[in-house]
Amino acid sequence: MTERQLIQQILNTVDVEYNFENVDSDNSAYDIKVFQQKEDRRPLKNVNDELKKYFNEAGFNYTEHIGNDLDLKISK
């Protein structure tokens, strides 16, 4: 499984919508915008905490910005 596939697996497991916005030419870093689905009533902080758990378990480093949505910059 590639890193990108693992990231997609994590995002699908947490059940969020997402867009890869910027991907380095060597695929070593990704900018991802994460959206909650309309019917998802979980607080964004809880969604973020769940994502953190999975990304940490997978050994990814990332920075985040929480606004109306969640912006992630992921690298390994």
Side-chain angles (χ1 to χ4, degrees):
M1 179 178 294
T2 67
E3 285 183 359
R4 185 174 175 136
Q5 288 172 325
L6 180 54
I7 291 168
Q8 289 173 309
Q9 177 85 21
I10 291 168
L11 294 168
N12 290 332
T13 297
V14 178
D15 198 22
V16 292
E17 294 179 27
Y18 56 90
N19 291 325
F20 283 85
E21 295 194 335
N22 296 313
V23 179
D24 284 358
S25 60
D26 65 354
N27 291 326
S28 65
Y30 306 88
D31 287 353
I32 302 169
K33 187 171 244 0
V34 177
F35 309 90
Q36 282 184 279
Q37 297 177 24
K38 273 192 230 178
E39 60 277 352
D40 189 352
R41 300 291 181 228
R42 297 175 291 174
L44 191 55
K45 182 187 178 322
N46 292 4
V47 174
N48 187 42
D49 288 346
E50 191 173 352
L51 286 169
K52 281 184 190 179
K53 175 184 165 256
Y54 287 116
F55 284 132
N56 288 332
E57 287 175 1
F60 288 108
N61 297 311
Y62 66 95
T63 58
E64 61 197 342
H65 171 73
I66 300 177
N68 291 334
D69 301 309
L70 178 60
D71 293 317
L72 301 173
K73 294 184 185 305
I74 299 172
S75 61
K76 189 163 184 182

